[in-house]
Structure formats: C-alpha cells, structure tokens
C-alpha cells in the first residue's frame, strides 16, 4: 500500500474503493494498481463487466456478447487497454449493401448510401448535415455553456424533427436513430443532449457508420474480457461481487462505503456507474443539489438486444452487409455480428424507446416472430429458421437500470450537466457518462475511469512525497 501517513492508514481497507466492476471501474482500478495505489472494487452484481456482458462458453455458435461489443476506429484508449491485456481485435463490418425497410419496401443501399432517386434522399442527406451542424454548435466540453443552450434544452428532439423536416420518412429515420442510439423516444430527449451526444461521438458518420466509425471491430472472445483480465491483473480477491453499495459516508479522514451491515473504508472512492444507478446510493453528507438532481433526472434507455444465429452468412452471399434499418415494422436496427471463429453466423437487432415499449408488451414468442419476420422480408426465406435465438432485456437488469446509455430529458443538461464530471470531496465520478468523448461507449468508460484514477493517484502520491520529505 502507498504510504498514507497522515491519513490514518490503519483505518483504510484500501487507498481507493472503486464502486462498479464495469469497464470504467475496471480501467480506473487498473490505472491505480499500476501506480502502486491499493485498490478494491465492489460490485453489486454476481458478475464482472456491467454493460459489457459476455457468455464465453456454451452458447451455440460462439461467445455471445449481450451488451456492448463494437469497438470504434477512434476508440484509442479502449484499444490500447485491451491490447495491453493481450486481447485481439477482429474487424466487424461485412461487405455488401445496407438495407432499409421503409414505406412498405425493401431498399438496398450500396456504400451505406440511400438510392438518390428516392423522393426523400436529398432531404435525408441534408438532414444529417443539419444534425452535424447542430452538434458542432453545441460541442462536448461544456454543452451547457454553448450558445442557445437553454433554448435547445427546452426543446425535445421530436419537436426539432417536426419543425425541421418535411418528408415523413426523414422524420421516421431521425426518430429511429434516437430509439436505437439512446434507447429512448425522440419526444423524451432534450435537443441539447442529442446534439451533445452526436458531438461527443465525433459526428453523425462516426456515430452511425455501419462498418466504420463506432461499429468498426470486436474483441475476439467478447468485450467483458477487458474487465475480467483487469480483475486477474489486480487480483480477483480485490473484486468483491454481490456487494451492492447502499450508503457512502464521507468525513475528514476518509470515506466509508456500506452494503447493508458490511462496510469498507478508504481514502477515496470512485463511483463508476451511470448517474441513475448511483441514485440508488444514500450519501452522507447529502450530495450537492446539482449532482442529486442529475442522478434523479437522467434515466437510462429502454432496450432489447436480440440475436439470431444461422448456419451460414447467407445475407453476405446475397450481397448484403446485414446492416438493416427498419422504420416499417419492428423499429429495429440490425447489424451483422459474425466473428471469423464463430461456427454460426449472427444478426443482431437493437430495439429501443417506444419500440421497446411496444414489443416488451408482447410475449417472447411474438417478439421472436416479429424479429424473424423482419429478417425474412429483408434477406429472404433462409432467415426463417435460426439455429439459435437470444434476447437480452436490458431494462430488466437491476443494476444497469436499462440500456444502452443515459439520456437526458429537457432541462437537465443545461441546469445540472456540469455535475456529470466534478468530484465531490473524496468522491470521484467515472462511468462512461463522465467522459468528455465517447460517453455512452466502452471508450468513454475507459477514458473516465483513467481520468478519475489519475486525479486520485496524483493526490495520493503527492501526499506521500510530502510525507517522505519530512
Ligand atoms: C445492449 C447494449 C449494446 C451496447 N453496444 C455498445 C457497443 O457496441 N460499443 C460500445 O462501445 N458500447 C456499447 N454499449 C455501451 C457500453 O456497454 C457502456 O457504455 C459501457 O459498458 C459502460 O461501462 P461503465 O463501466 O461506465 O458502466 P457499467 O457497465 O454500467 O458499470 C457499472 C457497474 O456498477 C455496478 N453497480 C451499479 N450499482 C451499484 C451499486 N449500488 N453498488 C455496486 N455496484 C453497482 C453495475 O452492476 C455495473 O457492473 C452498449 C450497451 C448495451 C446495454
């Protein structure tokens, strides 16, 4: 343990307790451990990984990622961390046309581009430029201080879509993007937040690319391995599972973290989870209003991740990439999920927001039929009989509190957004939501975790250097 003389070392179970064994908490713990800072991770769940959730074995066709999975081409912190842990990447995108199911028809889109002869293609392309321009205006460093922040934060994305675009299909496409990327409906999300989200994800092309950008590669063997390997590196005994934090009490000498009757003491704490998850913890003294309000008012999306596995990648043989945008039936966004080493080929569907609400009200059999019907329409009868089918309902995950990411309704970002990142005494905030960029992604989780760790390590190491000089 680092010499913490002056900080009553005997009372500490670790220098730092990291709360949450997702990728962000894991990245924070590894940074601290590498610098000689004693760290413990406490995790509510019975597994490590959080919103990355890999079933490595026993799944027909190969390892199954039930949560985050795609690595972006600019996700440098994640790539560096995973690679340093000995993980290998494999490219994700498949060759071929993307597919759009809209206005009752199936349209193929070579080079990710809609057919220019469609009546609304020109307006659609201009609409994406308009979203990029809005994102540039808001930025990601201090969106709450951007020009017109209050006005943009008083408007929902649905209102902006209605005011800005004419063709109903352009409106439907923008609505679906919010459903898919945030797991919420456009009528629930602040325009300021959506513009910030697009900005912090480097713009529309990076965010939404179906084979490059944020959907560029995967970890061979699954995404949760990043956290598992970190647990191995710092020592599995340093990761306490089934340890839901219920209360955190700060005092002049340290901080005590409670799970019911159990408690641990440290000099600092990193809370590495979404704001709404942190809202289940009681804080003593009470959190400043801005952080308390943020935690209470920024929910997670509502989300299904659905996977159908087949004996062959027949869609690629037909000239289709497997990427599919469906505004007609299920409201699903589909991507190919087949890794070279898999024995079955996978199509992954994402259903969020009001489409989630609609489909969660149906039985699992009806949902499966709905998804398979979309795939048959898009890729033909070979899609009718998957060898394996799996769905993950993220909204039912007690500790994640939904998926894939946090969104903010109107009035939250401009009033309380700054509280996302600021430490409060001995408490530092990580979790992907605290990252300047790629918040909502594994990359953001790694960045926020490493940043919180760097701030604490600097403080602790400076403290021990001062002690050494005396
Ligand atoms: C279906 C889905 C698909 C996604 N796709 C992608 C993708 O392709 N690429 C990508 O980069 N990202 C993707 N994401 C997002 C990505 O998975 C997350 O951004 C990232 O994993 C968040 O990591 P985190 O450590 O910040 O938070 P989390 O993973 O949420 O970790 C928080 C941890 O804290 C724990 N916890 C909560 N409450 C308590 C408590 N009271 N006490 C102790 N522990 C607690 C939780 O159990 C959890 O383990 C996806 C997410 C989902 C759900």
């Amino acid at each position: 343990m680092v010499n913490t003389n002056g900080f009553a070392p005997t009372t500490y179970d670790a220098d730092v307790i990291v709360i949450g064994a997702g990728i962000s908490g894991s990245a924070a713990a590894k940074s601290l451990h590498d610098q000689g800072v004693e760290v413990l991770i406490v995790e509510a769940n019975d597994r490590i990984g959080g919103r990355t959730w890999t079933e490595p074995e026993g799944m027909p066709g190969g390892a199954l990622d039930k949560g985050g999975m795609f690595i972006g081409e600019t996700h440098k912190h994640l790539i560096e961390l995973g690679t340093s842990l000995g993980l290998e990447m494999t490219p994700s995108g498949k060759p071929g046309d993307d597919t759009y199911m809209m206005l009752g028809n199936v349209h193929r889109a070579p080079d990710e581009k809609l057919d220019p002869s469609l009546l609304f293609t020109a307006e659609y392309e201009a609409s994406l430029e308009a979203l990029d321009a809005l994102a540039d205006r808001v930025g990601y460093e201090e969106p709450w201080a951007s020009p017109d922040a209050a006005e943009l934060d008083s408007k929902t994305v649905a209102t902006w879509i209605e005011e800005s675009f004419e063709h109903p299909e352009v409106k439907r496409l923008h609505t679906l993007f919010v459903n898919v990327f945030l797991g919420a409906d456009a009528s629930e999300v602040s325009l300021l937040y959506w513009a910030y989200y697009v900005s912090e994800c480097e713009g529309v092309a990076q965010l939404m690319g179906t084979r490059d950008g944020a959907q560029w590669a995967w970890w061979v063997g699954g995404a949760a391995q990043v956290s598992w390997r970190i647990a191995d590196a710092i020592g599995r005994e340093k990761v306490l599972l089934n340890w839901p934090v219920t209360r955190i009490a700060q005092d002049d000498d340290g901080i005590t973290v409670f799970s019911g009757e159990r408690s641990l003491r440290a000099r600092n704490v990193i809370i590495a989870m979404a704001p709404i998850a942190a809202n289940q913890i009681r804080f003593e003294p009470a959190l400043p209003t801005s952080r308390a309000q943020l935690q209470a008012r920024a929910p997670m999306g509502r989300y299904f991740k659905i996977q159908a596995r087949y004996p062959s990648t027949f869609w690629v043989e037909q000239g289709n990439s497997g990427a599919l945008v469906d505004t007609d039936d299920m409201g699903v966004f589909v991507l190919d999920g087949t890794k070279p080493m898999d024995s079955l080929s996978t199509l992954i569907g994402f259903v969020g927001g009001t489409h989630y609400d609609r489909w969660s009200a149906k039985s699992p059999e009806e949902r499966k039929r709905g998804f398979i019907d979309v795939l048959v329409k898009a890729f033909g009868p070979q899609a009718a009989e998957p060898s394996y089918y799996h769905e993950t309902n993220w909204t039912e995950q007690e500790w994640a509190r939904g998926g894939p990411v946090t969104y903010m309704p109107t009035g939250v970002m401009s009033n309380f957004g700054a509280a996302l990142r600021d430490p409060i005494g001995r408490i530092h905030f990580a979790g992907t939501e605290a990252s300047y960029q790629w918040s909502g992604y594994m990359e953001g989780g790694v960045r926020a975790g490493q940043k919180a760790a760097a701030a604490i390590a600097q403080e602790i190491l400076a403290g021990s250097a001062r002690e050494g000089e005396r």
Side-chain angles (χ1 to χ4, degrees):
M1 188 185 290
V2 166
N3 176 6
T4 47
N5 274 343
F7 299 111
T10 49
T11 63
Y12 297 142
D13 294 291
D15 290 317
V16 180
I17 293 174
V18 176
I19 307 177
I23 200 164
S24 192
S26 303
K30 178 160 192 310
S31 294
L32 291 166
H33 173 82
D34 288 351
Q35 294 175 75
V37 177
E38 188 74 20
V39 66
L40 275 176
I41 306 182
V42 292
E43 164 58 51
N45 227 326
D46 58 3
R47 62 175 178 84
I48 293 170
R51 278 175 273 171
T52 60
W53 185 4
T54 304
E55 295 292 352
E57 283 157 11
M59 310 308 284
L64 190 82
D65 270 310
K66 299 176 173 183
M69 151 180 202
F70 288 87
I71 304 164
E73 58 190 326
T74 62
H75 293 183
K76 292 196 175 68
H77 296 71
L78 171 66
I79 293 169
E80 201 182 308
L81 176 63
T83 309
S84 76
L85 293 162
L87 296 178
E88 279 175 42
M89 289 190 297
T90 181
S92 56
K94 299 290 183 293
D97 299 348
D98 290 355
T99 302
Y100 285 76
M101 278 178 39
M102 46 196 185
L103 300 168
N105 290 311
V106 174
H107 301 269
R108 304 294 175 199
D111 303 322
E112 300 179 52
K113 290 263 181 283
L114 271 179
D115 182 349
S117 69
L118 288 170
L119 274 180
F120 55 87
T121 299
E123 190 192 352
Y124 175 61
E125 279 170 6
S127 74
L128 296 179
E129 285 171 21
L131 181 55
D132 263 337
L134 193 62
D136 285 348
R137 222 168 91 207
V138 164
Y140 59 83
E141 286 183 353
E142 292 189 323
W144 43 87
S146 61
D148 313 321
E151 190 193 332
L152 295 174
D153 208 23
S154 69
K155 194 181 266 193
T156 67
V157 183
T159 305
W160 175 73
I161 291 172
E162 203 48 48
E163 285 173 359
S164 311
F165 310 124
E166 281 186 10
H167 198 286
E169 194 52 37
V170 176
K171 294 180 186 180
R172 276 195 286 271
L173 283 164
H174 277 269
T175 305
L176 188 72
F177 294 149
V178 180
N179 299 148
V180 166
F181 289 101
L182 300 183
D185 199 49
S187 61
E188 298 170 305
V189 178
S190 144
L191 182 57
L192 182 70
Y193 186 77
W194 182 226
Y196 147 80
Y197 199 81
V198 173
S199 167
E200 59 102 3
C201 293
E202 301 180 19
V204 167
Q206 281 290 326
L207 177 65
M208 300 183 187
T210 54
R211 66 205 76 201
D212 302 317
Q215 283 67 236
W216 176 68
W218 301 300
W219 294 118
V220 172
Q225 290 177 107
V226 176
S227 298
W228 301 345
R229 292 208 178 183
I230 290 173
D232 290 340
I234 66 173
R236 286 260 170 176
E237 71 286 357
K238 301 275 173 66
V239 186
L240 310 183
L241 298 179
N242 300 304
W243 221 96
V245 173
T246 48
R247 185 157 68 98
I248 296 176
Q250 285 200 66
D251 56 58
D252 289 345
D253 296 326
I255 185 158
T256 309
V257 174
F258 296 87
S259 179
E261 297 299 308
R262 296 175 289 182
S263 68
L264 289 167
R265 193 155 165 84
R267 187 172 172 234
N268 288 95
V269 156
I270 297 178
I271 297 186
M273 63 187 74
I276 193 80
N279 200 39
Q280 297 182 117
I281 300 171
R282 198 171 124 210
F283 291 85
E284 292 168 14
L287 291 173
T289 307
S290 56
R291 179 71 203 187
Q293 288 290 319
L294 173 79
Q295 290 187 175
R297 290 173 184 232
M300 292 283 279
R302 312 183 292 289
Y303 220 55
F304 283 115
K305 180 171 178 178
I306 304 175
Q307 313 200 42
R309 291 189 156 173
Y310 296 93
S312 72
T313 321
F314 58 87
W315 50 94
V316 176
E317 289 153 23
Q318 297 163 359
N320 297 311
S321 66
L324 160 67
V325 175
D326 153 44
T327 57
D328 269 357
D329 292 347
M330 193 170 198
V332 62
F333 177 59
V334 178
L335 289 170
D336 175 284
T338 316
K339 293 178 184 158
M341 59 295 302
D342 290 346
S343 58
L344 293 174
S345 301
T346 305
L347 288 169
I348 307 172
F350 303 97
V351 178
T354 47
H355 296 298
Y356 169 91
D357 300 337
R358 195 159 52 87
W359 286 96
S360 65
K362 298 181 196 274
S363 70
E365 293 71 32
E366 286 173 310
R367 245 182 341 262
K368 178 178 178 187
R369 184 46 43 216
F371 184 56
I372 301 302
D373 284 350
V374 167
L375 299 183
V376 167
K377 254 192 220 171
F379 304 125
Q382 277 174 283
E385 296 293 339
S387 312
Y388 177 65
Y389 174 89
H390 187 275
E391 64 173 41
T392 312
N393 185 342
W394 277 90
T395 309
E396 288 178 351
Q397 291 303 309
E398 182 180 6
W399 299 109
R401 304 296 312 278
V405 295
T406 293
Y407 71 90
M408 292 191 196
T410 54
V412 180
M413 179 57 104
S414 59
N415 288 312
F416 313 116
L420 269 173
R421 305 161 184 156
D422 293 345
I424 299 168
R426 295 174 182 276
I427 302 173
H428 288 249
F429 293 97
T432 189
E433 284 78 7
S435 179
Y436 279 89
Q437 280 195 285
W438 294 105
S439 165
Y441 287 76
M442 298 183 285
E443 169 73 4
V446 174
R447 289 191 194 196
Q450 292 177 342
K451 185 163 167 274
I456 291 177
Q458 205 179 18
E459 232 176 273
I460 291 182
L461 296 171
S464 24
R466 276 197 302 277
E467 282 305 316
E469 283 163 14
R470 281 185 199 155

